[in-house]
Amino acid sequence: MKKYQLGEFEEIVLLTVGVLHGEAYGVAIKAEIEKQLQRKASVGALQSALRRMEGKGFLISELGEATKVRGGKRKRYFKITALGKEALQFTMQTRLDLWGQIPDMDFQFKPC
């Protein structure tokens, strides 16, 4: 279903927002992606994905309190919406269905 289409990075970001439950803001999301996947995530790509998914209704955000540590700047916290959860469940089920259709013989090791 097109309304649930997620790119790989979008899926990773949504899952990471869920993992960080309540503490999902830009820097924390970036750090968690890099820790969990041992891959770099650019701030620009992350911010674009967050805004895009907020526009699709998969995420909502709210500003936290201003702190002296951040020079009075407020963090923007993200949460998964019900639609975002449906999108993740649809994506997971689609992948499981595809995995289930691969014959075992296609995973045989062939030396070079």
Side-chain angles (χ1 to χ4, degrees), residues 9-73:
F9 190 64
E10 289 178 328
E11 181 183 359
I12 289 167
V13 171
L14 266 180
L15 289 167
T16 304
V17 168
V19 167
L20 291 172
H21 182 73
E23 293 298 320
Y25 62 96
V27 172
I29 296 167
K30 181 183 182 307
E32 189 68 19
I33 288 170
E34 291 177 352
K35 178 181 132 192
Q36 293 275 352
L37 302 176
Q38 287 89 49
R39 88 182 222 189
K40 292 288 181 191
S42 78
V43 173
L46 176 60
Q47 291 299 325
S48 292
L50 289 167
R51 297 289 174 248
R52 189 170 50 250
M53 289 189 294
E54 199 168 14
K56 290 179 180 181
F58 296 159
L59 291 172
I60 57 170
S61 69
E62 59 185 33
L63 290 172
E65 296 297 318
T67 63
K68 288 183 181 182
V69 174
R70 294 176 47 87
K73 191 171 180 185

